[in-house]
Amino acid sequence: MFFEGFTLETREVDGMAVRFRRGGKGPPLLLLHGNPQTHAMWHRVAPELAERFTVIAADIRGYGFSAKPGVTADHMPYSKREMAKDVVGLMRGLGFDRFSIVSHDRGARLAHRLALDHAACVEKLCVMDIVPTLHHFEHADMKFGLGYYHWFWFAQPHPGPETLISADVEAWFDIHTSREPKDRSFFHPEARADYLAALRLPGTVTAICEDYRAAASIDLEHDRASRAAGERVPCPVLALWGAKGKIGQWYDALEVWRAYADGPVSGHAVNSGHYLAEEAPGEVLAALDGFLG
């Protein structure tokens, strides 16, 4: 079954619609997805987590069926600081002032900023297949430019990349999600349908590009200000990455995260590509079981 036992809801948070699924009982656990996906990416792990936690799997701003602010010169609406406010407000509205986070890709970048700006809210933080955005850009080389070329393409001025992506969204999705070779059967058909339906909504592709434009501009300003102020993630951090992907090839991920965190940092590679929770849910759940307690 696809998210058996979960409800599908949308709530307004300070004027921003946030779509999410909710299920289970126990301590609150927020799941945040990456690009170009929706909360549906958690379908293989959320039901089991819901046996012990109240699981909230949200579509982050600009993605899925959540709110999609328009283009601005400073890209502020897609700064991770602003995106984090949506999910903090959602959790507070649901009655959860403190919660743990499991996050992937762009959602993990949002979660990193959330753990700095709203430290009192975050019990534990799991980040999947990333190191901090600031570290990526400050250590970028030819390997990074070729391997994560989309970071620089999406960040080009509006509407250039949007125009090309929108010409054939499904073809782009298949190419973009094949950093490790895979066919269309890789994603659950209901999850794939949700991803594509969201990408076809007016504003989604532009929002994705604005997310990356923010990462290359206003997010770096916020990250450098946090570093200068000595702000580091205070809670325990679990970093997981795909053994078939780039993070483990390019970085000592645990050492990188220890430079950005005061809390204990643990983690390891998972036998998967970039989409850990869909390719290796058993390994992900085992790691989370030991971390979340």
Side-chain angles (χ1 to χ4, degrees):
M1 298 291 290
F2 194 74
F3 282 101
E4 184 175 9
F6 280 69
T7 60
L8 182 62
E9 308 172 47
T10 298
R11 288 202 177 196
E12 293 286 324
V13 179
D14 294 329
M16 294 288 174
V18 182
R19 185 183 72 151
F20 63 98
R21 271 191 167 96
R22 171 169 45 168
K25 292 182 180 180
L29 178 63
L30 175 63
L31 308 184
L32 299 175
H33 67 89
N35 163 58
Q37 298 176 285
T38 72
H39 74 272
M41 66 156 283
W42 300 110
H43 67 94
R44 297 190 72 183
V45 299
E48 186 159 336
L49 290 169
E51 295 177 3
R52 296 187 294 129
F53 300 95
T54 298
V55 175
I56 307 297
D59 287 352
I60 64 177
R61 180 184 293 194
Y63 292 80
F65 289 75
S66 289
K68 308 176 196 310
V71 176
T72 62
D74 62 3
H75 316 300
M76 182 66 80
Y78 291 93
S79 69
K80 305 311 160 289
R81 173 162 287 160
E82 291 300 312
M83 293 171 76
K85 292 177 182 177
D86 296 343
V87 291
V88 170
L90 172 67
M91 294 300 280
R92 285 177 175 159
L94 294 172
F96 305 125
D97 291 325
R98 187 167 173 83
F99 46 89
S100 293
I101 304 175
V102 176
S103 57
H104 176 252
D105 189 76
R106 309 308 292 180
R109 301 189 188 286
L110 183 166
H112 180 200
R113 173 48 58 186
L114 192 163
L116 295 174
D117 289 357
H118 307 273
C121 293
V122 185
E123 185 79 27
K124 295 180 179 180
L125 171 63
C126 172
V127 292
M128 294 190 195
D129 222 47
I130 74 159
V131 297
T133 302
L134 183 61
H135 191 87
H136 274 304
F137 276 120
E138 291 189 341
H139 294 80
D141 56 13
M142 186 173 179
K143 289 180 180 178
F144 180 81
L146 290 172
Y148 278 15
Y149 70 91
H150 59 283
W151 279 46
F152 304 97
W153 180 41
F154 294 167
Q156 295 304 303
H158 171 77
E162 294 98 316
T163 300
L164 296 176
I165 293 168
S166 298
D168 193 335
V169 165
E170 187 166 5
W172 169 78
F173 175 86
D174 289 335
I175 293 168
H176 182 67
T177 57
S178 294
R179 62 184 66 181
E180 303 91 29
K182 57 178 64 69
D183 59 33
R184 291 187 178 189
S185 66
F186 177 87
F187 296 110
H188 187 289
E190 290 190 53
R192 178 184 171 89
D194 199 60
Y195 305 154
L196 291 172
L199 286 167
R200 292 186 175 112
L201 288 175
T204 303
V205 174
T206 293
I208 290 173
C209 293
E210 282 293 288
D211 171 16
Y212 282 81
R213 291 176 186 127
S217 56
I218 189 65
D219 285 343
L220 295 180
E221 293 180 25
H222 293 160
D223 290 348
R224 289 183 175 123
S226 289
R227 181 170 61 187
E231 297 172 356
R232 292 152 58 94
V233 176
C235 68
V237 175
L238 174 68
L240 302 176
W241 60 93
K244 304 173 188 176
K246 302 297 187 183
I247 296 299
Q249 295 178 26
W250 294 342
Y251 312 105
D252 183 335
L254 297 184
E255 286 305 303
V256 172
W257 276 108
R258 286 175 182 134
Y260 288 80
D262 285 331
V265 175
S266 60
H268 54 81
V270 170
N271 186 27
S272 76
H274 179 59
Y275 301 100
L276 284 71
E278 289 166 289
E279 186 172 354
E283 287 189 54
V284 168
L285 286 166
L288 292 176
D289 183 60
F291 178 65
L292 296 173

